[in-house]
Amino acid sequence: MSMFQKKIDNMEKRFEMRPTVKTAVGLALRKWLVYAVSVVPEPREYLHRANHVILTRLRKNESDMRLFWLGIYFSIELGYFDKANEMLDNAYTYRAYYKSNQPFNYKILHFLYSYLEIKQKRAKSAKKHMRTLESAAGAFGSIDFDPKFDPLMMGMLHLAFYEYDEAYRYLARSYRAGCRSVFLFSALFNFYHTATARGRIMGESDSRMLLQTVHWALNHDADVEHIIVVYQNELLQKDHIALGERIYHQFPNQWMLKELCAHYMTIPDYGPKAYEYYRDAERRQIYLPNLSYFLVRAAFCSGAERIHRYTMTQYLRKPDEDIDLLTYVYHLLLTDESLSDLAANHVQSIIKVAAHCMNENIRSRYANSLYYFFWIKCNEQQIKGENVDRVEKVLLEDLYKFEVVFPVKNGDKTPVKNLYIDEQEKNGITEYEFPSDGSTLIINAVSNGFRYVGLSSSHTTVLEAGVTAPLEIYRRIASAGTALYRHFYDKNIRDFEIIAYLAKAYIQAISKGEYQQNQDWESVLEAVLVSKEASKAFKTQCSVALGELYYKKGQLEKALLCYDKADENALDDEFLEHMLTVYVKQQAFEAATGLVERKGHRIGVKVLFEALKPLSLQEHANRHPAIAKTAYELLLRSRYDKNLLEVVLAHFTGTQKQWLDLSQMLSSMSINEPRLAEIILNNAAWGHHFDEATQRVFVKMINDETAGESFKKCLQDFIYYAMYEIIIEKAKPLPETIAALEKTYIEKIHFKGEENLLAYGLCHVYLGHGVTTINSNTIIEAAVSYQKEKGMLFPIFRESKKKINAYIGKYRSFMYRTLPGKNVRLYYRVDEEEDWRVKDMDYWLFGLYMTYVPHFYDERLEYYFSEELLTGSITTQQEEVHNTDMYLDENSTDPFFIINNATIYEQMFRYEQVEEIIGGLVRDVKTVRSRLM
């Protein structure tokens, strides 16, 4: 969002809070300016909004002339000429009053009339009103003359007539009189923009007015690029370069950048600001003579650490004779990998400059890069001598030194006074104080990866590494590598920073797989271990590295001693693997077990598997609980071993999903383990798991003839639990599970429990889920027979209507579930009887209480359940069931079916059968009565 848009938003908030005339005018003018000068997708929309604000307030403040005149002006701009004419005609009736008492309003009246006529292309009438306006203004300096707004109105009208000379003359007069109205700057912007677009610059431009107009236009999101191109000379004068820079930052065109660079190159200027422009010109590939030289020198003055290859190549074609600048350039060639091939073409020049710097005793990090290069070349050619010794001495003095710079602007002093360095490799914290003269702080360190905190003189935190860290840290010898450190180490120079650097280099080489066996690293690592300056964490790293070294050399006893002293939390994964291997091979089984338990997730599968093979033997049974989890994870990754599986089955405490995952993995390897199936099925029965995976385990193991008694008991428990899921939770088993349950029922295997429970459960599957099998009808008939013998009936048999017989057709069954041991009763009545009948319900299994009552066709039966307690009773809501089942049993002698048949025949309009049944009942009654008499 632009700054001008934010101003509009703020003004809208002010207007909402306080909708005065003043805020209305301010908001309307801001919206109008967007239409007049800003670059937006739909500018006319803003003009409509401005007009809406004015008209809304005008209805509430009809006497306010500011709103009235702006309403006319916006109507003209929108092209609502009839409306503008009407409003002006109304005001024209008061022209005599305005002329005598309000000359300003009188002049605005004629200004708007003239502006309207111009828009309607009535030039003659417009000129007439312009003459009236000019006459009303009076002579310059008279009492009626307004030096700010009278010339402004005339200038705007001449501009509308495209009379640029006259327009500019009036607008300039208004500006010099001190007018800073938005209408003035809008008119000036249009003048500079439209007049120059036609190639006609009217009059001599006033530099200050031009600059202020451009400045104003930038603040209002206007497109000033065309004005900039035409008035480039005026805008880029020395006194106005700041505006030129601002224009470039908002409209970054290549022409303006080229002029800015040319300006700074003319001065000449090599400061940070000029350097940024030179870099931008380089990026945009702008050609300027000697740009490469200015860019390189500005980079040198700014302390830049990188110059693009093209610029450097151009500069090196004709390098400067300035030794300091050449030292900087050659330093970049030697330290920037993208420029390293250029150094090969300037070897002699680099050595020559290095020798000169040595003779002049120049000490800087730029010169150090040249010294290091000189030293390398002398070593390659085995050159010895005084100069080489002098270079070595300089390199040794700066070998582990770093420059610390706190970036400041405009020569300000650094706010940091004290710097506290905390190195991972060292014990304690080192304190440094920034030089009071502003020079660079030099510190000793193993590397630049240290933590630090900077404090001001008042001891308040100014900066902190990783939080607010503006420090720039540079190595004094930028390219110094292991060879240089090793050279001084071999000369028996054993400063802590040297041995620590070499030790870190070895550790990094090991982690990258770049270990070279022919190098002597033992003495370096051992030197760290005996150093009082080394931190405990760094000693741990070195101890492990030394153990790694011995491991690679096959000296496992020495490796074990080193690993015993190590902190495994500070080790890389590869070191942990080697450590575990050493522990196992050296039979340090206690240490190996602890490492597996704590860090097994970071060790490779292959190494873990080889380590757990011996640990899983029975002789290490006391360690099995510690390795059970890791053993389980190895089995899941297809690393099978019989002993590992024994450990897992005996000691791993897993979830049902984890056991099922293991079962699936073993099945994929064609490994059958009944004990695992027993665990899964036991978990299922006790933890209520009836998912598909668990059912498949059950189906797989149902036919296992080798299963022991404990496994058979497990199968019985699972089947009993399955009946609960099927009858109570209405679960639908897998087809293979149904087949296994049918086999169990038919063969009477693996099941002990409530008699006929399995048949009832299977019937709930058949009737509740519409399942039909080869055995389903037989089992349903058997289940009905069982229920008839037991005097019970499950509601699903009647509700399903799949298989109905006389027993099912006669009775309506009721089922209620609660805790066992309760007294549960059924209360019911038929066809709204007055009295409720009561029947005790019998307990079955799974908290189910059941009973049944005869239920005739078309009979409505109301019922509810009651739990009888010592403290009272709990009753359910009353419900009703209507018998709509037309079950006929014409051969039955049961009075229930005789009456039921008659009721059904009546509904079927078979009255003869009804009379026959009733007559038979009457005869039976007389026979019985005569016998009794």
Side-chain angles (χ1 to χ4, degrees):
M1 183 184 292
S2 67
M3 186 61 69
F4 184 57
Q5 185 60 49
K6 288 181 179 179
K7 290 180 179 179
I8 294 176
D9 293 342
N10 291 336
M11 181 59 76
E12 284 183 338
K13 292 178 182 177
R14 287 177 56 191
F15 180 68
E16 290 174 1
M17 294 174 61
R18 195 175 182 184
T20 62
V21 173
K22 183 177 179 180
T23 55
V25 171
L27 178 60
L29 288 178
R30 277 180 168 82
K31 292 180 181 292
W32 168 75
L33 280 174
V34 176
Y35 158 77
V37 300
S38 299
V39 180
V40 292
E42 297 291 338
R44 191 174 175 84
E45 178 64 26
Y46 285 88
L47 182 57
H48 278 290
R49 295 179 188 176
N51 189 46
H52 176 72
V53 172
I54 293 300
L55 294 181
T56 301
R57 293 308 305 169
L58 193 59
R59 296 188 188 101
K60 299 181 180 180
N61 300 273
E62 297 181 0
S63 61
D64 193 289
M65 297 306 297
R66 291 171 295 179
L67 298 174
F68 183 72
W69 299 131
L70 277 177
I72 297 173
Y73 182 73
F74 291 157
S75 295
I76 297 172
E77 292 283 72
L78 285 166
Y80 301 157
F81 300 139
D82 292 340
K83 182 178 180 180
N85 260 316
E86 181 183 354
M87 295 177 72
L88 283 172
D89 289 345
N90 291 336
Y92 195 71
T93 58
Y94 300 98
R95 65 186 183 282
Y97 173 79
Y98 291 149
K99 185 174 183 180
S100 302
N101 300 288
Q102 297 181 5
F104 181 73
N105 287 330
Y106 180 74
K107 287 181 279 190
I108 291 181
L109 176 65
H110 285 283
F111 164 78
L112 291 172
Y113 258 126
S114 180
Y115 191 62
L116 175 61
E117 295 299 86
I118 293 172
K119 291 293 184 179
Q120 295 183 106
K121 302 185 184 303
R122 298 173 181 171
K124 186 175 181 181
S125 176
K127 287 291 185 180
K128 173 185 174 183
H129 286 288
M130 285 179 66
R131 288 193 296 271
T132 304
L133 173 61
E134 193 167 19
S135 174
F140 184 79
S142 68
I143 190 171
D144 292 331
F145 181 75
D146 188 330
K148 295 181 181 179
F149 296 105
D150 289 351
L152 170 59
M153 288 187 282
M154 292 299 298
M156 291 175 66
L157 293 174
H158 282 294
L159 190 62
F161 262 125
Y162 308 110
E163 297 171 350
Y164 297 113
D165 288 333
E166 291 297 316
Y168 181 76
R169 181 167 61 85
Y170 279 110
L171 294 175
R173 183 187 299 176
S174 175
Y175 176 83
R176 287 192 292 269
C179 180
R180 297 297 181 266
S181 167
V182 294
F183 291 103
L184 172 65
F185 284 117
S186 174
L188 285 171
F189 171 78
N190 288 324
F191 167 77
Y192 289 128
H193 199 278
T194 57
T196 55
R198 295 173 177 272
R200 299 167 57 195
I201 304 175
M202 301 299 178
E204 294 185 17
S205 64
D206 179 271
S207 178
R208 186 184 303 171
M209 184 169 68
L210 170 64
L211 294 173
Q212 193 162 351
T213 301
V214 173
H215 182 85
W216 176 88
L218 290 173
N219 286 335
H220 290 80
D221 301 333
D223 184 3
V224 299
E225 191 167 8
H226 185 67
I227 300 175
I228 295 167
V229 172
V230 175
Y231 293 100
Q232 52 186 282
N233 295 328
E234 289 80 0
L235 293 173
L236 285 177
Q237 295 176 18
K238 181 178 180 181
D239 295 339
H240 307 135
I241 195 65
L243 179 62
E245 291 173 350
R246 184 181 175 196
I247 292 171
Y248 172 70
H249 287 306
Q250 191 156 346
F251 298 96
N253 58 72
Q254 293 190 7
W255 170 84
M256 181 62 74
L257 176 61
K258 185 174 182 179
E259 293 298 324
L260 288 171
C261 289
H263 166 79
Y264 282 111
M265 291 166 66
T266 304
I267 298 177
D269 190 334
Y270 306 105
K273 184 187 292 185
Y275 171 61
E276 293 299 327
Y277 287 121
Y278 300 152
R279 280 188 60 192
D280 207 5
E282 173 195 48
R283 180 180 61 82
R284 302 183 71 169
Q285 300 181 2
I286 295 175
Y287 173 75
L288 281 166
N290 295 326
L291 176 62
S292 59
Y293 168 78
F294 281 92
L295 179 55
V296 170
R297 181 166 284 279
F300 169 59
C301 295
S302 300
E305 290 298 312
R306 191 170 188 278
I307 295 177
H308 285 290
R309 182 184 179 85
Y310 173 80
T311 299
M312 186 64 82
T313 304
Q314 295 297 315
Y315 171 80
L316 289 173
R317 289 179 179 177
K318 190 178 180 180
D320 195 271
E321 295 299 326
D322 186 337
I323 294 297
D324 291 337
L325 181 57
L326 276 178
T327 303
Y328 165 74
V329 169
Y330 291 148
H331 157 77
L332 293 181
L333 294 184
L334 297 171
T335 56
D336 190 340
E337 292 184 2
S338 65
L339 304 176
S340 58
D341 61 314
L342 298 179
N345 300 326
H346 297 82
V347 173
Q348 295 302 321
S349 298
I350 295 173
I351 293 176
K352 182 179 178 181
V353 174
H356 173 81
C357 291
M358 181 57 62
N359 292 332
E360 296 295 326
N361 196 28
I362 296 176
R363 304 296 299 274
S364 69
R365 62 188 181 92
Y366 298 151
N368 283 343
S369 296
L370 276 61
Y371 297 152
Y372 183 47
F373 180 78
F374 176 83
W375 179 81
I376 291 174
K377 291 299 179 184
C378 290
N379 272 1
E380 288 176 354
Q381 301 179 24
Q382 297 183 351
I383 298 174
K384 305 291 183 182
E386 182 182 353
N387 286 337
V388 176
D389 293 339
R390 289 175 61 195
V391 167
E392 278 193 8
K393 183 179 179 181
V394 171
L395 293 177
L396 178 59
E397 290 178 4
D398 283 348
L399 181 58
Y400 44 83
K401 287 183 170 58
F402 291 81
E403 294 182 2
V404 178
V405 180
F406 188 93
V408 293
K409 297 180 179 180
N410 303 323
D412 295 339
K413 291 185 178 180
T414 172
V416 181
K417 182 180 180 182
N418 299 98
L419 190 68
Y420 298 88
I421 302 297
D422 179 18
E423 296 185 76
Q424 180 189 2
E425 302 82 10
K426 278 186 181 180
N427 271 325
I429 295 176
T430 309
E431 180 183 0
Y432 294 94
E433 185 174 339
F434 277 88
S436 57
D437 59 0
S439 58
T440 302
L441 172 64
I442 307 295
I443 66 171
N444 296 336
V446 177
S447 69
N448 61 354
F450 49 79
R451 294 177 296 177
Y452 59 84
V453 172
L455 300 181
S456 63
S457 56
S458 60
H459 286 185
T460 57
T461 302
V462 174
L463 55 94
E464 183 178 353
V467 182
T468 53
L471 283 187
E472 295 175 1
I473 303 170
Y474 304 104
R475 181 185 286 275
R476 289 283 289 176
I477 307 176
S479 302
T482 307
L484 184 59
Y485 280 85
R486 189 81 204 194
H487 172 76
F488 290 119
Y489 179 82
D490 291 340
K491 295 182 74 171
N492 206 30
I493 300 173
R494 305 296 170 88
D495 295 346
F496 174 74
E497 285 79 7
I498 293 178
I499 62 173
Y501 182 92
L502 289 173
K504 284 172 64 69
Y506 168 73
I507 293 171
Q508 291 173 1
I510 287 294
S511 64
K512 294 178 181 179
E514 300 172 354
Y515 165 73
Q516 296 180 4
Q517 200 166 14
N518 59 348
Q519 294 181 351
D520 174 26
W521 292 104
E522 292 97 321
S523 61
V524 174
L525 297 171
E526 289 171 352
V528 174
L529 294 178
V530 299
S531 172
K532 294 181 180 179
E533 294 184 65
S535 66
K536 182 179 179 180
F538 188 51
K539 284 185 176 181
T540 296
Q541 283 186 305
C542 292
S543 178
V544 173
L546 189 58
E548 185 76 3
L549 184 62
Y550 289 135
Y551 172 82
K552 290 183 178 295
K553 289 184 175 183
Q555 301 175 9
L556 300 186
E557 292 183 7
K558 290 184 176 180
L560 180 60
L561 293 175
C562 294
Y563 286 143
D564 279 342
K565 302 174 184 178
D567 179 6
E568 61 195 35
N569 294 314
L571 301 184
D572 293 334
D573 294 352
E574 184 181 7
F575 293 159
L576 290 173
E577 293 181 2
H578 294 169
M579 181 185 289
L580 180 60
T581 302
V582 169
Y583 284 158
V584 173
K585 289 185 177 181
Q586 292 301 114
Q587 297 186 357
F589 295 117
E590 189 66 31
T593 302
L595 185 60
V596 168
E597 185 177 16
R598 294 185 297 271
K599 302 295 179 182
H601 61 284
R602 292 179 52 193
I603 299 175
V605 173
K606 183 178 180 180
V607 175
L608 271 179
F609 186 63
E610 294 301 322
L612 260 63
K613 276 184 179 180
L615 288 174
S616 62
L617 296 176
Q618 190 58 36
E619 60 192 81
H620 300 297
N622 61 321
R623 300 186 177 94
H624 289 175
I627 65 171
K629 183 176 183 295
T630 305
Y632 169 82
E633 292 171 352
L634 285 174
L635 290 171
L636 277 190
R637 297 181 183 183
S638 302
R639 296 285 178 170
Y640 175 76
D641 181 84
K642 184 178 180 181
N643 292 330
L644 286 184
L645 183 57
E646 291 289 339
V647 170
V648 170
L649 294 176
H651 300 285
F652 180 65
T653 305
T655 64
Q656 181 75 342
K657 183 181 184 305
Q658 288 175 314
W659 289 117
L660 288 171
D661 290 343
L662 180 59
S663 175
Q664 184 178 2
M665 177 56 66
L666 294 179
S667 296
S668 68
M669 301 169 67
S670 300
I671 297 171
N672 185 33
E673 180 50 65
R675 286 180 297 169
L676 177 58
E678 185 176 344
I679 291 173
I680 292 172
L681 296 180
N682 277 330
N683 286 347
W686 291 103
H688 286 207
H689 300 288
F690 200 62
D691 52 275
E692 293 184 2
T694 302
Q695 292 182 54
R696 288 193 174 94
V697 172
F698 163 71
V699 172
K700 180 180 178 182
M701 301 305 298
I702 195 73
N703 297 318
D704 191 343
E705 301 295 338
T706 64
E709 289 301 320
S710 65
F711 187 72
K712 291 179 180 179
K713 174 64 167 57
C714 168
L715 286 175
Q716 294 170 10
D717 292 342
F718 181 78
I719 293 173
Y720 188 85
Y721 159 67
M723 296 303 100
Y724 167 85
E725 289 288 343
I726 292 170
I727 296 173
I728 302 302
E729 301 298 337
K730 298 179 173 52
K732 181 181 180 181
L734 295 174
E736 49 265 46
T737 305
I738 298 172
L741 293 173
E742 287 180 338
K743 180 179 180 181
T744 298
Y745 170 75
I746 293 170
E747 298 180 5
K748 306 298 182 184
I749 58 172
H750 304 310
F751 185 70
K752 291 181 180 179
E754 208 301 75
E755 186 180 3
N756 308 322
L757 172 61
L758 193 52
Y760 298 154
L762 286 169
C763 287
H764 275 77
V765 175
Y766 304 145
L767 302 176
H769 301 286
V771 174
T772 301
T773 69
I774 192 172
N775 300 308
S776 58
N777 287 338
T778 302
I779 295 176
I780 290 173
E781 290 175 358
V784 172
S785 176
Y786 297 152
Q787 292 176 90
K788 189 174 182 180
E789 291 176 7
K790 299 281 283 185
M792 58 182 288
L793 181 62
F794 285 95
I796 195 169
F797 282 85
R798 179 154 185 157
E799 291 169 359
S800 67
K801 302 178 184 178
K802 181 177 181 181
K803 186 76 174 180
I804 196 164
N805 62 14
Y807 181 70
I808 297 173
K810 179 177 180 179
Y811 294 107
R812 172 70 62 183
S813 57
F814 296 92
M815 190 162 61
Y816 181 79
R817 188 162 182 253
T818 184
L819 295 175
K822 300 288 186 69
N823 293 322
V824 181
R825 293 178 177 177
L826 171 69
Y827 286 79
Y828 68 99
R829 64 181 181 182
V830 178
D831 292 334
E832 298 182 354
E833 293 176 330
E834 292 185 3
D835 297 329
W836 289 85
R837 307 180 191 183
V838 183
K839 189 172 185 182
D840 290 332
M841 300 183 72
D842 299 320
Y843 181 74
W844 183 63
L845 291 173
F846 309 136
L848 291 180
Y849 292 80
M850 290 189 292
T851 190
Y852 59 81
V853 296
H855 196 189
F856 290 100
Y857 171 74
D858 200 29
E859 191 174 63
R860 295 182 181 274
L861 190 150
E862 296 176 272
Y863 69 95
Y864 65 89
F865 302 101
S866 174
E867 290 186 43
E868 307 296 337
L869 306 173
L870 295 177
T871 57
S873 62
I874 300 174
T875 59
T876 63
Q877 290 185 351
Q878 182 177 320
E879 297 183 59
E880 180 183 284
V881 61
H882 182 206
N883 186 2
T884 58
D885 297 329
M886 289 187 176
Y887 181 78
L888 290 168
D889 192 347
E890 297 178 340
N891 299 320
S892 176
T893 59
D894 187 334
F896 172 86
F897 285 109
I898 295 174
I899 297 172
N900 197 63
N901 292 344
T903 305
I904 294 173
Y905 287 145
E906 183 184 12
Q907 291 292 325
M908 299 170 64
F909 304 106
R910 294 169 63 179
Y911 298 113
E912 293 181 0
Q913 285 88 341
V914 174
E915 291 177 0
E916 182 180 345
I917 290 172
I918 294 174
L921 283 174
V922 171
R923 286 194 299 272
D924 288 343
V925 170
K926 290 180 178 179
T927 302
V928 172
R929 183 181 298 171
S930 64
R931 288 176 183 174
L932 289 174
M933 293 177 67

